[in-house]
Amino acid sequence: MAIERETIVTVCCSDIAGQVRGKGFPARELENRRRFGVGWTPTNIMINCFGRIPATPFGAQGDLMLVPSPEGDITLDYGDGTPVERIVLGDILTLSGERWDGCLRGFLKNALDQLEAETGLRVLASFEHEFWLDGGEERPGDAYAASTLRGLEPFIGDYVGALRANGLQPDTFLPEYGPKQYEITVDPALALTAADEAVKLREIGRSVAKKHGYHLSFSPVVTRGIVGNGVHIHFSLVDRDGNPVAYDAEAPGKLSAIGASFCAGILKHGRAICAIAAPSVVSYERLKPHSWAAYYLNLADRDREALLRICPYPEVDGVNVAKRYNIEFRGADATASPYLQLAMLVHAGLAGIREKLPAPYLSSGDPGTLSQAERDERGIGDLPRTLPEALDALEQDSVAMGWLGPVLSKAYLMHKRGEIAMAEGIEIDELCRIYARAY
């Protein structure tokens, strides 16, 4: 009998390291696997970006199920006779079918459920990704230059086409400020779908790049001293009928009272969130002043170096500004799981709504030109300057630790401190190269 080549489906989860890991099975078994998935263990989420488990609170004990999500399918068929790539994003469940406390996708679901139950609100979101591609041309003066796209048309076309074939709606693809740096965006979606799409976008990008013989990296810093790669998380609030509620034409910054409280909650817990949103040692090589990245805890109107930026929108006849109005969180990068990043923003925003926090000071200009007393008066705080400082801030924020819960908070701190220990003694340029390969 002739051998019939079979396609393997890999059911995966996005873990604490921001990596997509899982187990495979023959594609013909997919429908059967949608109920029970594949076996998984708690300690699997403790694998760090170096591929090691320095420590784990779970040991070798415990059994879980990694179950394919109905919305999780990724199919990459290049139509050239090469094998079709199949990935399905999934949920980590207990053997009784309940959400496991360490499942990051489930953690986001819980946050969204709480927000809607308490406020009737939902989150629309989109993850704006910057990345480095070794196939790009590097030459003087190439920032935002159309010439940097030449020769990459086949890759770009396949990338955008693969996104669309998998249900994502591409919005823009552009050359960025840094050498060999590009940006890709997709249309906003409800929060869980947006996080799923962020994971899909990264995996599709890596697959298409490899197909073309390139290496693509979403690492926050590929070359030290050069502007880094951020993941800018855009979000807005809508009611159950899809009506926008974050916009108020009469308010400062045109940010509604409920939107302002949501943003105030994020700023109040911003130092803790930084440990989740920018969770690698090299993340803090990107979060530098005057580098088009966040450096202070502030809300600003159209300032690309603020942690929270009120985004611009067309102010012309016929435009529904309320539907276009959104806030951008600029302190995140792709060394984190999108599920975990977005869940922490939702939890913090909900906390701000619960507490009826007043609107944050709307800053203008560089906070670095203000004295410390002036920043204190305006409520403009400092972001952590290193990952250890960020983790300490998280551990000291009892409210944020409560959102994570006892299982995930302990695992997260142990995981990240193990990563820090493994990075110690590695020269920074070499560390950047390692992260560039990992992400």
Side-chain angles (χ1 to χ4, degrees):
M1 175 183 281
I3 296 174
E4 179 183 349
R5 177 183 289 165
E6 294 199 33
T7 298
I8 296 298
V9 174
T10 307
V11 56
C12 296
C13 62
S14 172
D15 64 10
I16 290 175
Q19 300 286 351
V20 177
R21 311 183 201 272
K23 292 183 177 181
F25 50 82
R28 66 180 65 188
E29 299 296 326
L30 177 56
E31 294 312 311
N32 292 334
R33 294 279 187 173
R34 288 198 185 276
R35 184 175 181 190
F36 301 115
V38 298
W40 203 243
T41 60
T43 285
N44 283 349
I45 71 164
M46 300 304 294
I47 304 170
N48 66 20
C49 64
F50 301 111
R52 299 290 184 269
I53 306 174
T56 172
F58 309 111
Q61 298 179 333
D63 287 283
L64 301 162
M65 302 185 295
L66 178 52
V67 180
S69 163
E71 306 86 19
D73 289 41
I74 305 171
T75 300
L76 295 169
D77 183 352
Y78 294 102
D80 57 2
T82 56
V84 175
E85 183 177 349
R86 297 284 305 276
I87 299 172
V88 184
L89 306 181
D91 295 290
I92 306 175
L93 306 179
T94 66
L95 296 184
S96 60
E98 303 296 322
R99 292 176 189 170
W100 180 53
D101 290 342
C103 175
L104 305 190
R105 193 169 188 269
F107 180 60
L108 175 57
K109 288 181 181 180
N110 291 340
L112 297 171
D113 289 347
Q114 288 179 37
L115 176 68
E116 186 167 357
E118 293 187 33
T119 67
L121 299 179
R122 297 172 177 174
V123 175
L124 283 176
S126 181
F127 290 74
E128 178 183 296
H129 286 82
E130 296 168 337
F131 64 89
W132 177 90
L133 187 72
D134 67 354
E137 181 183 357
E138 183 175 349
R139 64 179 180 81
D142 63 0
Y144 300 107
S147 59
T148 63
L149 302 179
R150 293 182 188 133
L152 295 179
E153 292 90 349
F155 161 77
I156 297 168
D158 282 352
Y159 194 0
V160 173
L163 293 176
R164 200 180 302 280
N166 283 279
L168 284 73
Q169 300 302 316
D171 180 41
T172 62
F173 187 102
L174 58 134
E176 256 288 352
Y177 181 68
K180 301 187 180 184
Q181 187 186 36
Y182 303 89
E183 177 182 290
I184 188 163
T185 65
V186 296
D187 286 350
L190 287 173
L192 182 63
T193 298
D196 283 341
E197 290 185 349
V199 178
K200 292 178 181 181
L201 181 145
R202 297 176 196 179
E203 290 307 296
I204 291 170
R206 294 184 182 108
S207 176
V208 175
K210 186 172 183 178
K211 181 72 176 175
H212 286 268
Y214 301 141
H215 174 62
L216 180 155
S217 180
F218 293 101
S219 174
V221 178
V222 174
T223 304
R224 187 166 59 99
I226 301 297
V227 63
N229 298 314
V231 175
H232 305 143
I233 305 174
H234 293 254
F235 62 89
S236 61
L237 299 171
V238 297
D239 63 21
R240 289 191 177 100
D241 295 322
N243 300 309
V245 301
Y247 176 76
D248 180 349
E250 305 304 319
K254 300 185 178 178
L255 182 62
S256 70
I258 200 163
S261 291
F262 195 92
C263 290
I266 292 173
L267 294 180
K268 180 176 180 178
H269 299 281
R271 286 177 59 81
I273 292 171
C274 205
I276 301 291
S280 75
V281 176
V282 298
S283 294
Y284 297 84
E285 291 294 317
R286 185 182 80 88
L287 299 178
K288 301 284 189 180
H290 310 129
S291 61
W292 294 65
Y295 193 68
Y296 294 99
L297 277 164
N298 64 318
L299 169 70
D301 193 356
R302 308 181 189 186
D303 180 354
R304 286 178 171 81
E305 293 196 345
L307 182 65
L308 290 177
R309 177 177 83 118
I310 299 174
C311 295
Y313 42 81
E315 298 183 80
V316 297
D317 290 342
V319 172
N320 186 334
V321 174
K323 284 194 172 183
R324 290 177 174 262
Y325 190 86
N326 70 94
I327 310 299
E328 180 184 27
F329 180 87
R330 294 184 59 84
D333 64 56
T335 58
S337 168
Y339 302 115
L340 195 50
Q341 290 172 324
L342 194 49
M344 293 298 281
L345 294 181
V346 171
H347 275 300
L350 176 56
I353 292 173
R354 285 187 190 126
E355 297 172 39
K356 296 183 171 60
L357 294 181
Y361 177 81
L362 189 61
S363 65
S364 177
D366 179 9
T369 62
L370 303 174
S371 68
Q372 184 62 56
E374 290 171 322
R375 289 199 295 274
D376 291 344
E377 181 184 0
R378 292 162 173 80
I380 299 175
D382 290 333
L383 289 177
R385 304 308 187 208
T386 64
L387 181 56
E389 184 182 341
L391 293 173
D392 288 345
L394 173 60
E395 192 170 28
Q396 292 160 14
D397 188 330
S398 60
V399 175
M401 290 287 282
W403 302 332
L404 290 167
V407 172
L408 189 51
S409 60
K410 182 177 181 180
Y412 191 85
L413 291 171
M414 187 178 292
H415 182 289
K416 286 298 167 184
R417 285 174 174 151
E419 181 178 330
I420 292 168
M422 288 191 67
E424 287 179 358
I426 301 177
E427 190 266 334
I428 185 63
D429 288 327
E430 175 61 19
L431 201 57
C432 289
R433 285 190 286 271
I434 293 171
Y435 277 97
R437 295 301 300 176
Y439 293 97

